[in-house]
Amino acid sequence: MPATRIEISKRLIKYLQLSGDQDGQALLPEILAEAEDLIEPWSFKERVSTEDFFKLFHPWAGQSRSICSLLEGSKYVWLMAAGLGPALEERSSEYFEKREHFKGYILNRLGSWLAEESMRKLDREVERQTVLSGFQATRRYSPGYKDFALQAQEVFYSIIRSKRPEIELHLSQAHILMPEKTVTALKGEFSPE
Amino acid sequence: MVDQGIDELVHDPDIKTRAAELYYGLVDADVIFYFSDIAIQAEAMGAKVTYSRTGMPAVSSPPEAVNVPRASDVSRMRANAQVVSSLAVSFPERFRAALIYGPFTVAGQVVGEETLMRETTSRPQEAEKILEQSFECARSYADLLIEAGANLVWVSDPLAALIAPEDFQKFAGSYLRRLFEHYSGLPGILHICGDTSSIISHMASTGVTGISFDNCMNLLGIEDYVPEDTLIIGNLDPVEVVSQGDPAGIAASTRDLAAVMGIKNNFALSTGCAVPPSAPVENVQSFMHAGRKALEELGPFSSHLAKLQQAVYQGLTQETQQLVQEAGNAGIPALTTIRSGLTRAVRKASACYEAGRCHLPSLLLKVDAFYKGFNMLENHDQQSNGSQPLVLLGTVKGDTHDIGKNLVRIFVQTNGYDVLDLGVNVSAQEFLDAFLADGPVLIGLSAFTSSSKNQLQQIIKTFRDSGYTEIPIIVGGAAVNAEVARRAGADGYGRDAVRAVELANRLVAKSLAKA
């Protein structure tokens, strides 16, 4: 498992809604240490041609105006995913069961933060790689945003399962990737001309 | 109490005395009033007033010329002084209030509320002139009442709630302070209608003995802003509860208020504003009886429960456990420990959260302390043996998110309900089966994803189509807003867990009242 050092930044404290809460902040290092032990961060990225993307994500991508508009002029599409593994969420639920709600809630919220941070990091990597190749990248977009149906998670799920079978991932009937702290997104790559 | 109408009663001191004596013979209030009306000072200053048999006197038109008479020259004021004088003989042991209306309210009646409000910004000297005249009238009237035997000054200044907090001192507070200073030998009480949370410190700095709060205020949310040596007076709803309720319901609401606020040394139980003349006297008696009994029972334990409440409120788990243990050793009933110690702290924290003074994690630290104590009592109290109303909760089919629903469960439970949590991915049929089997008083549906929000309508429709139209169903979750809730046919939308509980309390009270 890669070592993760979580920085207690002002931004994190604000995200965890602990600004001005000295008692809550005092408990944070212990919870962060616990989170570090529990998470197994992974990330996934793959570039496909825009044509293949629309085939893969048929009919969800074609039906989405926002996706069509976002990818207009894009030659390639990056598929990205990041997650933390199931242990952190399980521990959060255990805390709720034990009626230690503060820890359960902070762990849960921390999971959201870490998953989003992983995605942000991945996003930056893709952005860099795109620029180095002489292209530009669109902003990232995820299933469930506006008219891009959540069913598109099925495609992400299939791709990740086939390329990275070691990753523990499930898809619920409601098209939600489990563990919940799993983030997926796509990004168009287009020529500056 | 008497056959005559209000229009006769307000002019005849003998009828009024008879009515007051009969009333307070039945209602053993610590503070008694002489049945006044809000128009009397404005009328004395020249305003025209209309009278009717069943309604209270009301200002109908402003004076042609404002004058400040001596109260002893005003017949209705003299009549009221005569009533106070009689009450002093009949009820020598009780506080007899010299009820007067605040200068700002009276000035508003005299020149018109809008005119006065405008003048506070555009022509402040004019506003101050009429305020000074209103002050003189109020003081003269209070002097007369005190001379007649009143031994407490009670100032109601309902219109003052309209002043911007930064202008309160100048246009209301300074005059009120002068009044209370003038009668510094007597207890002084100030009542301002409506939400006064932004002016509490100004109200307290007028030198009052106590502040009477409107029933719209959550006393738990403001108690820390009232100085320890100032009474917090309030605040049962005088209309919906006392006047329109039944004696059993009034007793239950009164006990709840007493259980929550009775551990404060500076609390005095009262209604949140004047009780309407039409309120049945047996309702007022029910309030008095239930309140006295509840406060008497709580009295010996109040100091310990206050410490316990504070420990939970500060999120101190070990201290909470120790104090719960000591409460048991001291013979405090488990239910009292839960209601007036543990639950009170979470309700207070929830009030602070609602007012935007703390975030959810801070609230959860207090909830954790609550549970440390609650776990020790859970098997001993009546909350866990099915005597508390049951709430059914679940995340709708197709959705597996549970954190929002879990938070609602926690706050519903800490507010004295039993909870049946059906978990996540719950179908309409499963909700219906649980409803039929367990008979909850309310159902809460959670939906996190936009695709699952369509389930809300389907579940609610299932209940309504099956003929269960009365059971309140509330909805919440990331995918839901007030509009989604309305479209789904829900009885309400809980924006977050704390507000969901407030909503549940309101709907359950309403539905129990109907039943």
Side-chain angles (χ1 to χ4, degrees):
Chain A
M1 189 188 80
T4 311
R5 284 198 56 80
I6 306 166
E7 186 201 348
I8 305 182
S9 61
K10 273 189 186 168
R11 204 162 62 90
L12 175 61
I13 286 174
K14 191 175 173 193
Y15 181 81
L16 297 176
Q17 300 174 312
L18 292 173
S19 304
D21 180 355
Q22 299 307 320
D23 294 335
Q25 285 182 32
L27 296 168
L28 192 52
E30 182 197 331
I31 300 173
L32 289 181
E34 189 171 8
E36 281 182 2
D37 284 345
L38 291 168
I39 57 174
E40 294 183 52
W42 59 267
S43 62
F44 169 87
K45 62 178 175 176
E46 181 161 295
R47 194 175 77 154
V48 297
S49 72
T50 304
E51 194 184 343
D52 285 347
F53 168 79
F54 277 100
K55 278 183 197 160
L56 279 169
F57 284 79
H58 177 77
W60 321 117
Q63 286 175 355
S64 165
R65 278 188 187 181
S66 45
I67 286 293
C68 293
S69 159
L70 179 84
L71 298 180
E72 197 180 346
S74 290
K75 203 168 177 184
Y76 298 100
V77 178
W78 282 94
L79 306 178
M80 305 180 290
L84 305 170
L88 182 137
E89 281 173 40
E90 285 164 8
R91 184 67 58 86
S92 167
S93 298
E94 283 166 22
Y95 276 127
F96 272 102
E97 287 302 314
K98 287 196 296 183
R99 294 175 166 179
E100 293 185 41
H101 307 97
F102 176 81
K103 281 187 178 173
Y105 180 78
I106 293 293
L107 263 188
N108 186 291
R109 211 161 158 82
L110 194 55
S112 301
W113 165 272
L114 292 171
E116 184 53 32
E117 283 292 290
S118 294
M119 175 53 78
R120 226 175 262 152
K121 195 174 157 199
L122 190 59
D123 192 16
R124 282 196 299 268
E125 272 175 35
V126 167
E127 191 101 30
R128 255 197 314 271
Q129 207 168 326
T130 307
V131 172
L132 285 175
S133 320
F135 286 91
Q136 282 186 357
T138 67
R139 65 195 170 95
R140 70 180 145 104
Y141 211 85
S142 295
Y145 284 9
K146 291 191 178 170
D147 60 353
F148 188 28
L150 204 55
Q151 280 92 325
Q153 294 284 43
E154 282 174 22
V155 186
F156 273 105
Y157 174 71
S158 303
I159 294 172
I160 298 166
R161 290 288 292 163
S162 65
K163 302 277 165 92
R164 299 277 299 275
E166 78 281 7
I167 293 172
E168 194 175 328
L169 201 60
H170 306 278
L171 186 72
S172 79
Q173 284 180 339
H175 317 288
I176 296 163
L177 286 172
M178 315 277 278
E180 280 173 18
K181 308 304 176 194
T182 304
V183 190
T184 58
L186 59 91
K187 211 170 166 63
E189 184 179 301
F190 61 93
S191 167
E193 284 89 42
Chain B
M1 292 291 120
V2 290
D3 295 332
Q4 288 82 358
I6 292 174
D7 48 354
E8 274 189 75
L9 186 127
V10 294
H11 290 103
D12 189 325
D14 293 332
I15 301 172
K16 201 187 251 195
T17 299
R18 200 163 70 244
E21 284 177 346
L22 278 170
Y23 187 80
Y24 288 114
L26 296 169
V27 174
D28 64 335
D30 293 316
V31 180
I32 62 177
F33 294 85
Y34 56 85
F35 298 168
S36 187
D37 63 84
I38 196 169
I40 190 167
Q41 286 156 249
E43 183 184 43
M45 292 173 73
K48 297 276 182 298
V49 170
T50 53
Y51 297 93
S52 74
R53 183 175 166 75
T54 52
M56 297 299 280
V59 172
S60 54
S61 60
E64 284 164 14
V66 174
N67 64 82
V68 184
R70 277 161 40 135
S72 55
D73 294 336
V74 179
S75 68
R76 287 222 296 133
M77 289 181 168
R78 268 202 322 274
N80 282 340
Q82 201 177 319
V83 178
V84 169
S85 176
S86 302
L87 292 177
V89 175
S90 312
F91 303 103
E93 75 292 355
R94 303 202 206 176
F95 280 110
R96 299 162 304 273
L99 170 62
I100 56 171
Y101 289 89
F104 195 84
T105 297
V106 176
Q109 290 174 309
V110 169
V111 298
E113 293 171 8
E114 279 185 38
T115 306
L116 180 64
M117 293 303 292
R118 265 199 306 273
E119 284 184 345
T120 58
T121 50
S122 60
R123 298 199 305 165
Q125 292 91 341
E126 287 301 308
E128 283 166 5
K129 187 177 160 198
I130 187 66
L131 283 166
E132 191 61 37
Q133 289 173 309
S134 301
F135 167 80
E136 285 304 330
C137 179
R139 191 167 64 176
S140 172
Y141 184 30
D143 282 345
L144 183 68
L145 294 169
I146 289 162
E147 204 177 301
N151 54 0
L152 178 149
V153 178
W154 186 296
V155 183
S156 274
D157 206 353
L159 199 58
L162 300 180
I163 311 172
E166 59 273 22
D167 290 335
F168 181 86
Q169 281 295 68
K170 186 173 180 186
F171 296 108
S174 58
Y175 298 95
L176 292 167
R177 171 178 272 279
R178 282 165 63 198
L179 268 176
F180 289 119
E181 276 175 357
H182 186 67
Y183 305 108
S184 59
L186 297 177
I189 310 295
L190 175 60
H191 174 82
I192 295 178
C193 297
D195 183 351
T196 50
S197 47
S198 59
I199 52 170
I200 291 173
S201 59
H202 295 319
M203 290 169 76
S205 71
T206 57
V208 284
T209 315
I211 300 173
S212 157
F213 289 99
D214 192 285
N215 52 284
C216 73
M217 305 275 294
N218 184 343
L219 297 183
L220 289 172
I222 52 93
E223 65 179 13
D224 288 346
Y225 299 90
V226 180
E228 286 293 321
D229 60 357
T230 303
L231 279 175
I232 296 171
I233 302 170
N235 72 342
L236 201 68
D237 188 326
V239 180
E240 282 194 17
V241 178
V242 179
S243 185
Q244 296 168 5
D246 61 87
I250 294 161
S253 300
T254 306
R255 279 195 296 271
D256 182 56
L257 177 59
V260 169
M261 292 306 298
I263 65 167
K264 291 280 290 182
N265 287 332
N266 60 335
F267 172 67
L269 182 64
S270 179
T271 52
C273 202
V275 176
S278 56
V281 74
E282 57 271 24
N283 285 11
V284 184
Q285 285 176 309
S286 175
F287 164 69
M288 293 300 304
H289 178 72
R292 285 205 189 282
K293 190 160 182 283
L295 292 174
E296 196 182 301
E297 284 171 3
L298 198 58
F301 311 131
S302 59
S303 125
H304 188 83
L305 292 167
K307 278 188 213 159
L308 172 60
Q309 190 271 163
Q310 191 59 16
V312 177
Y313 188 70
Q314 291 178 334
L316 305 173
T317 50
Q318 283 181 352
E319 201 172 336
T320 297
Q321 285 176 306
Q322 192 189 328
L323 286 162
V324 167
Q325 185 65 51
E326 286 171 15
N329 296 343
I332 303 178
L335 192 58
T336 305
T337 303
I338 291 170
R339 281 188 180 159
S340 300
L342 301 173
T343 302
R344 184 192 200 276
V346 176
R347 286 170 74 170
K348 177 172 171 169
S350 301
C352 293
Y353 173 80
E354 271 195 80
R357 294 201 297 268
C358 75
H359 291 298
L360 186 60
S362 165
L363 187 50
L364 290 176
L365 273 178
K366 301 168 201 318
V367 167
D368 287 352
F370 166 92
Y371 274 112
K372 287 290 179 197
F374 185 72
N375 291 345
M376 295 166 70
L377 299 168
E378 200 167 14
N379 298 325
H380 303 287
D381 87 289
Q382 294 170 26
Q383 284 199 316
S384 58
N385 67 9
S387 67
Q388 300 297 315
L390 179 76
V391 169
L392 193 62
L393 290 180
T395 303
V396 300
K397 190 168 174 56
D399 197 336
T400 52
H401 291 89
D402 64 357
I403 188 148
K405 183 260 304 162
N406 288 346
L407 290 170
V408 173
R409 183 187 69 208
I410 294 160
F411 288 104
V412 166
Q413 198 169 37
T414 53
N415 272 269
Y417 292 91
D418 279 335
V419 177
L420 178 58
D421 184 350
L422 299 180
V424 298
N425 199 23
V426 185
S427 69
Q429 192 57 47
E430 286 168 312
F431 273 110
L432 190 58
D433 289 346
F435 166 73
L436 293 173
D438 297 288
V441 294
L442 180 128
I443 298 170
L445 310 178
S446 173
F448 188 87
T449 60
S450 47
S451 55
S452 65
K453 76 181 173 198
N454 300 327
Q455 276 289 315
L456 299 172
Q457 189 170 14
Q458 198 177 321
I459 293 169
I460 294 169
K461 192 170 179 300
T462 301
F463 274 82
R464 303 313 183 212
D465 288 352
S466 306
Y468 304 111
T469 53
E470 298 295 318
I471 177 77
I473 303 178
I474 64 172
V475 297
V480 185
N481 57 30
E483 180 56 20
V484 170
R486 193 189 62 75
R487 281 191 197 159
D491 293 298
Y493 160 62
R495 188 156 66 86
D496 56 36
V498 172
R499 285 168 184 91
V501 174
E502 290 296 320
L503 177 64
N505 286 337
R506 274 206 312 276
L507 290 171
V508 169
K510 208 168 144 188
S511 119
L512 291 178
K514 256 194 211 171

